[in-house]
Amino acid sequence: MGRDIEQRGRYASALVFAVLFFSLLALHIPLLRLPYFWDEAGYYIPAARDLLLHGTLIPDSTPSNGHPPLVMAYLALAWKVFGYNPVVTRTAMLAVAAFALLGVFRLAQRAANREVAIASVICTALYPVFFAQSTLAHLDLAAAAFTFWGLLAYIENRRWEVVLWFSLAVLAKETALLAPLALFAWEAPKALLKLDPPRERAYSLDSTALAVPSIPAKVPLVIPSEARDLGSSHSQPKPRFLVALAPRNDRVRMLLVPIIPLALWYAFHYWRTGFVFGNPEFFRYNVKATMQPLRVLFALGLRLWQLLGYLNLYFLTVGAVLAMWLPPVRDNGKERERIALDVQFSFLAVIAAYVIAMAVVGGAVLARYMLPVVPLGIIICVSTLRRRARLWRGVIAMVALAFVAALLINPPHGFSIEDNLAYRDYILLHQRAEEFAEVRYPMAKVLTAWPANDELTRPYLGYVTRPMRVLRIEDFSAPQILAAANLRADFDVALVFSTKYEPPHPWFERWRKWQQWKTQFFGYHRDVPPDVAAQVLGGRLVYTEIRHGQWIGVIEMERIEEAVLHLHGATQ
């Protein structure tokens, strides 16, 4: 009987997965053929391709960042079976997204009920960051998917599945270790309280209220075997921190097992490269440069915003907060149930761990780093709305529409273009401009910045048909453009583009201190517009395009001979 129920559950999960996958596929069809974007082009696709071609877990065509290789191995396997193509890559990542949504569904269904599960899946799938990341070859979505399944196993007390899912999560991305460590930090104090060795009690000889005889002083106190030192002939309690790791507490100890595969990966990485956490520049940018108290404070505020309000997420969180003022809805005289407090606190422990840790490390405060925990907040908010608001389905519909709007319309403040469909605008701009440059200047040396230098030199990324010669600068800020002007004899063409989205009316634009903090802590700079860059470089703007706040331009350099001929023709 139990096996039949389990088998039916698996069939149901397979059916839900199929529905989720084909729904995502239908929604993302216009995005499947896009060339690779930003970090995809800069690291993950080259690393996966090295694994496909050379069978090496450490990339050799790009400096290693030390990330575990599970996602790259998955992509290499997909290419091996179906062929190397952006469509294959993006479809493979959609399968990961569907698996993540299935995890959200199962987790919400187990913690609350099916209605909450369906609404949570809809909100998560349409949340702009999740939607945009669903086809991009990054690590965070896979880490989030395995984390959801790990949390489900944790709630259902399936210990070895906890080990499996969280181990896969850390092999997808190292920061996924935060989830089991947070759960361990939540469980360990409870285990200490439950397993604290009983203390000898003093009973009064004249006490008649208790029907328990007094214990002679010479009789040794008997304590549980799992809480005493087996190597001693005397019964002595273990230190308190070891009590939590006693054999009875397999649920707690299992949460530490995912440390082992991650440690093995880092040992292998060190053996092959001489570095533990990636190349020195990567470690400096993401760890050393972030350890500044004021920066951590700003990053903490950004993380809280990404958790509670980013890209119209505040429609859901504010709705849930307002619903808390309402009494629980009664169905047939019975209050609607809430998520068990123990489960909610487990979710909050993981959320708090991510908010704090991601404020301390990570050079770029990217919203995708929070994907493993934002759906947990969505589940809690949806459950609260269903419990306390009779028209909760209408509220969820409004939230879904708000997410769709944020997916299509850029916010009035700066944001990372990978967080909604602005990344498609970037790809289309670069695809057309670089095709123009390749056709018109096939032998030219191109001045540009990352990641366009990779797009021009690696045809397999989908922008050009053959490699072009490149001179790379850091960015298109005024100091970099002025420095490049002194090297105008070393390049023939300049490809300049917006490296970030600049809203028409930026918030705090006139607050100089804020601009200074952004520059100091987050690498902010203003890109020189293409027409101004052409004047500074001494060239001619031959191509430009603007798309929803982003722009790109191709500048043809004028040589001295050409300038003389041009001047001579003008005088004639």
Side-chain angles (χ1 to χ4, degrees):
M1 183 67 177
R3 289 185 177 180
D4 292 340
I5 294 176
E6 184 177 354
Q7 191 172 14
R8 286 198 297 269
R10 290 177 179 175
Y11 287 149
S13 293
L15 179 60
V16 173
F17 175 82
V19 171
L20 291 171
F21 174 74
F22 286 108
S23 299
L24 288 174
L25 188 65
L27 291 172
H28 288 81
I29 282 178
L31 309 173
L32 296 182
R33 296 186 179 277
L34 292 177
Y36 298 114
F37 164 77
W38 210 263
D39 283 344
E40 286 186 305
Y43 183 78
Y44 300 115
I45 295 302
R49 188 170 179 269
D50 287 344
L51 180 56
L52 172 68
L53 297 179
H54 311 300
T56 174
L57 295 175
I58 308 295
D60 51 29
S61 63
T62 187
S64 175
N65 286 350
H67 290 309
L70 183 60
V71 174
M72 280 72 81
Y74 168 68
L75 291 177
L77 177 62
W79 295 337
K80 184 74 173 179
V81 175
F82 300 105
Y84 178 82
N85 191 288
V87 175
V88 174
T89 306
R90 309 215 177 280
T91 305
M93 294 310 298
L94 281 177
V96 175
F99 186 64
L101 290 177
L102 178 60
V104 171
F105 178 84
R106 289 285 307 279
L107 182 60
Q109 185 181 33
R110 178 64 179 80
N113 52 57
R114 182 171 295 181
E115 286 185 317
V116 172
I118 293 173
S120 298
V121 165
I122 292 173
C123 289
T124 301
L126 294 179
Y127 175 55
V129 179
F130 187 96
F131 187 96
Q133 294 296 318
S134 294
T135 54
L136 297 180
H138 293 153
L139 310 182
D140 306 273
L141 197 59
F146 293 128
T147 298
F148 302 148
W149 285 93
L151 283 168
L152 176 63
Y154 165 80
I155 291 174
E156 295 181 342
N157 202 24
R158 291 181 277 113
R159 299 172 184 178
W160 286 108
E161 289 190 31
V162 169
V163 172
L164 172 65
W165 293 122
F166 282 135
S167 295
L168 289 173
V170 301
L171 290 177
K173 190 173 184 182
E174 62 280 0
T175 53
L177 187 62
L178 289 170
L181 290 183
L183 294 176
F184 177 82
W186 165 244
E187 285 285 351
K190 296 193 299 180
L192 287 173
L193 293 175
K194 290 179 182 178
L195 284 182
D196 197 20
R199 297 177 181 177
E200 184 176 356
R201 299 181 182 180
Y203 294 95
S204 173
L205 293 177
D206 59 353
S207 174
T208 58
L210 296 175
V212 179
S214 60
I215 301 176
K218 293 184 179 181
V219 176
L221 180 65
V222 178
I223 62 176
S225 59
E226 57 267 25
R228 63 182 169 178
D229 186 357
L230 298 178
S232 172
S233 59
H234 301 286
S235 299
Q236 297 177 351
K238 286 184 178 182
R240 292 179 63 86
F241 72 92
L242 291 180
V243 174
L245 301 178
R248 185 186 302 177
N249 283 320
D250 284 346
R251 174 184 170 95
V252 179
R253 292 187 299 157
M254 291 297 187
L255 294 169
L256 298 180
V257 175
I259 296 175
I260 298 174
L262 185 60
L264 291 175
W265 161 251
Y266 278 135
F268 174 77
H269 189 271
Y270 178 78
W271 175 58
R272 290 294 304 273
T273 67
F275 306 113
V276 178
F277 302 110
N279 65 81
E281 175 57 26
F282 175 82
F283 185 77
R284 183 204 65 79
Y285 177 72
N286 287 283
V287 180
K288 287 184 178 180
T290 63
M291 300 295 181
Q292 303 178 61
L294 187 56
R295 185 201 180 278
V296 170
L297 184 62
F298 287 142
L300 184 64
L302 289 173
R303 291 306 186 193
L304 290 172
W305 171 244
Q306 291 167 355
L307 176 69
L308 302 174
Y310 188 56
L311 293 180
N312 290 348
L313 190 58
Y314 59 83
F315 276 80
L316 180 61
T317 53
V318 171
V321 170
L322 293 177
M324 289 296 295
W325 294 91
L326 301 175
V329 175
R330 290 181 173 272
D331 295 326
N332 299 323
K334 184 180 179 181
E335 288 186 358
R336 290 180 179 177
E337 295 183 356
R338 65 184 174 192
I339 298 176
L341 289 179
D342 190 62
V343 174
Q344 291 193 53
F345 285 130
S346 299
F347 285 4
L348 292 175
V350 177
I351 291 171
Y354 263 86
V355 169
I356 295 171
M358 293 296 102
V360 175
V361 299
V365 191
L366 298 177
R368 63 177 152 101
Y369 296 167
M370 300 294 288
L371 279 177
V373 295
V374 168
L376 304 183
I378 289 176
I379 292 173
I380 293 174
C381 290
V382 170
S383 176
T384 301
L385 286 169
R386 181 194 174 275
R387 184 170 188 254
R388 296 178 178 272
R390 291 192 178 276
L391 300 178
W392 70 278
R393 292 184 180 87
V395 177
I396 296 301
M398 291 177 58
V399 170
L401 290 175
F403 284 167
V404 172
L407 186 65
L408 301 173
I409 304 171
N410 293 336
H413 54 78
F415 78 113
S416 176
I417 58 175
E418 66 174 28
D419 292 344
N420 70 0
L421 291 182
Y423 86 88
R424 178 177 179 269
D425 295 331
Y426 171 96
I427 291 176
L428 294 178
L429 286 173
H430 282 239
Q431 195 174 24
R432 289 195 280 260
E434 289 165 19
E435 180 182 358
F436 171 85
E438 181 188 15
V439 171
R440 186 160 178 175
Y441 311 102
M443 304 303 294
K445 191 171 187 178
V446 183
L447 173 80
T448 193
W450 187 87
N453 61 297
D454 289 332
E455 298 163 4
L456 291 170
T457 57
R458 296 172 174 172
Y460 63 83
L461 296 177
Y463 291 90
V464 294
T465 58
R466 58 181 179 179
M468 298 186 70
R469 296 183 301 147
V470 166
L471 176 64
R472 175 182 168 179
I473 57 177
E474 288 299 317
D475 51 51
F476 303 109
S477 61
Q480 286 290 309
I481 293 293
L482 289 171
N486 296 326
L487 302 173
R488 59 170 58 93
D490 296 337
F491 59 93
D492 308 295
V493 176
L495 178 71
V496 297
F497 56 93
S498 54
T499 58
K500 61 180 66 63
Y501 172 74
E502 292 284 359
H505 306 287
W507 294 357
F508 312 120
E509 182 179 13
R510 297 182 180 181
W511 188 9
R512 290 188 177 181
K513 192 63 178 179
W514 174 244
Q515 302 298 325
Q516 178 184 341
W517 283 333
K518 287 201 300 180
T519 302
Q520 179 182 353
F521 297 130
F522 303 107
Y524 176 78
H525 67 272
R526 289 188 179 274
D527 295 314
V528 175
D531 53 343
V532 177
Q535 296 178 11
V536 175
L537 294 174
R540 181 165 54 96
L541 187 63
V542 295
Y543 178 97
T544 186
E545 185 178 0
I546 301 174
R547 190 180 180 93
H548 301 148
Q550 300 182 66
W551 52 263
I552 195 167
V554 177
I555 300 170
E556 178 183 336
M557 301 304 298
E558 291 186 348
R559 301 303 178 197
I560 296 178
E561 297 83 358
E562 295 175 352
V564 171
L565 291 174
H566 179 74
L567 180 62
H568 180 70
T571 56
Q572 292 295 326

